[in-house]
Amino acid sequence: MPELPEVETVRRTLAPAIGARVTAVAQSGKPLRLGRPMPFARIKKALLGRRITGVRRHGKYLLVDVEGDAALLVHLGMSGRFRLFPPGAPVPPHTHLRLTLDDGREIRFTDPRRFGLVELVARATEREHPALAVLGRDPLVEGIEGAWLHEQARRRDVSLKSFLLDQSVIAGVGNIYASEALWRVRIRPTRRARRLGATEARALAKAVRAVLEHALDRGGTSLRDFVDADGVEGDNYEYLKVYGREGEPCPRCRTAIRRTIIQGRATYFCPTCQVP
DNA sequence: ATCACGACCTGGAGGC
DNA sequence: TGCCTCCAGGTCGTGA
């Protein structure tokens, strides 16, 4: 479901929970990513009775800070939702974690496919967590520059599409925005990363930031699962230029958009104005 | 060490 | 209506 703009949208809409105290913690007991159960006992011990002091994001990961040194680490996988419900709201199916707040609201992690992740980390050492340790630069937090991107790309013998999806380089770009950014700079997704020129790298770095910021301004892209912490869908889908638009005319040159598979993921491009 | 692929899950859409 | 197949915003372990 979620790439950087969607996760950032959730982060922002979850902010009204800051200051509230956690009065109850409940779980489904179902395993999540890799069939691993969430460390519920540790989560409960660290969160119960504590106030939420912040909600942060790095790449596609969310961190919910509480009093003390603990933070709840959350990844939404493909179908995960992380929402703030009003008091008494019905509990949706596939709800794996519930944090009841002192005013009756509930933060709930819901994930039918269970590709998501919920962990507990110590803030002081959070970057040592395997999921966070490998993350590259977040385009909207740390920023990415053309020269840096060029240097990264030179050393990799993968397609540019795969390169953009590599979270150890850029943290937060996923399948939608990888196709969108490459369309903007008129480069085929199949182009080898090492063949990216310096000028192209500058344009690509700018395009990555632009597509992410544009989507964020629209509350993210809702294809099927995505809603913010208030349950509201984002309306960025109508602004996508190529993703999910096989057969539709390219907005630049009217050629039919093509769909191909790169590393097992659907990839969209214009065969005319995106150069190999 | 890098890289490509399949597995991990459930549910929705479309074909028959 | 029901059954089947395909597809999905991500990540990780495997084996070449």
Side-chain angles (χ1 to χ4, degrees):
Chain A
M1 163 182 51
E3 306 181 34
L4 189 155
E6 293 74 39
V7 178
E8 176 62 16
T9 297
V10 170
R11 190 196 68 77
R12 293 180 181 182
T13 48
L14 210 53
I18 294 171
R21 193 180 298 277
V22 178
T23 57
V25 184
Q27 69 164 339
S28 71
K30 290 269 184 66
L32 299 177
R33 183 187 298 178
L34 298 183
R36 291 194 192 119
M38 73 172 80
F40 180 73
R42 289 175 52 229
I43 289 170
K44 188 171 179 180
K45 186 167 187 287
L47 270 57
L48 201 56
R50 303 271 166 70
R51 287 184 190 282
I52 293 170
T53 56
V55 188
R56 294 173 293 136
R57 180 190 60 76
H58 191 20
K60 300 172 191 172
Y61 287 87
L62 284 167
L63 288 147
V64 180
D65 296 327
V66 295
E67 293 171 320
D69 184 45
L72 191 69
L73 176 65
V74 174
H75 191 289
L76 301 176
M78 288 281 263
S79 58
R81 293 179 173 190
F82 201 42
R83 288 193 49 190
L84 184 56
F85 287 84
V91 180
H94 309 291
T95 296
H96 301 114
L97 184 68
R98 302 166 59 179
L99 309 178
T100 309
L101 306 179
D102 51 7
D103 56 12
R105 292 178 299 170
E106 269 193 15
I107 295 174
R108 295 170 181 164
F109 175 77
T110 301
D111 185 6
R113 295 176 73 179
R114 290 187 275 118
F115 290 169
L117 173 101
V118 179
E119 291 257 15
L120 190 74
V121 296
R123 280 204 290 283
T125 56
E126 67 187 29
R127 286 307 299 245
E128 293 168 22
H129 188 282
L132 298 180
V134 299
L135 290 185
R137 290 168 72 161
D138 185 300
L140 300 192
V141 175
E142 296 141 309
I144 54 171
E145 308 102 41
W148 173 82
L149 194 64
H150 188 224
E151 180 57 32
Q152 297 299 310
R154 280 176 53 195
R155 300 191 260 119
R156 274 158 229 257
D157 188 23
V158 295
S159 67
L160 273 173
K161 171 77 184 314
S162 295
F163 175 69
L164 290 176
L165 289 180
D166 186 344
Q167 302 298 296
S168 72
V169 181
I170 302 175
V173 174
N175 208 36
I176 294 177
Y177 303 115
S179 282
E180 293 295 308
L182 289 167
W183 178 85
R184 278 209 186 210
V185 296
R186 307 179 187 228
I187 300 173
R188 290 267 180 111
T190 45
R191 172 96 69 88
R192 298 284 99 182
R194 65 202 304 179
R195 301 290 180 214
L196 185 70
T199 306
E200 290 176 321
R202 275 197 297 279
L204 183 56
K206 196 173 161 187
V208 166
R209 290 194 304 268
V211 295
L212 297 177
E213 284 169 0
H214 184 274
L216 182 53
D217 287 345
R218 279 148 196 85
T221 301
S222 295
L223 297 185
R224 49 188 66 75
D225 290 321
F226 177 70
V227 292
D228 69 18
D230 296 323
V232 178
E233 296 187 346
D235 68 357
N236 190 242
Y237 180 78
E238 61 185 296
Y239 297 97
L240 297 181
K241 307 296 188 186
V242 290
Y243 186 87
R245 301 200 182 282
E246 181 181 23
E248 294 181 34
C250 168
R252 254 190 323 247
C253 74
R254 315 312 291 171
T255 304
I257 297 299
R258 288 238 286 264
R259 177 184 184 272
T260 186
I261 301 292
I262 297 179
Q263 279 197 197
R265 314 294 305 280
T267 304
Y268 300 85
F269 66 99
C270 171
T272 299
C273 61
Q274 288 179 256
V275 303

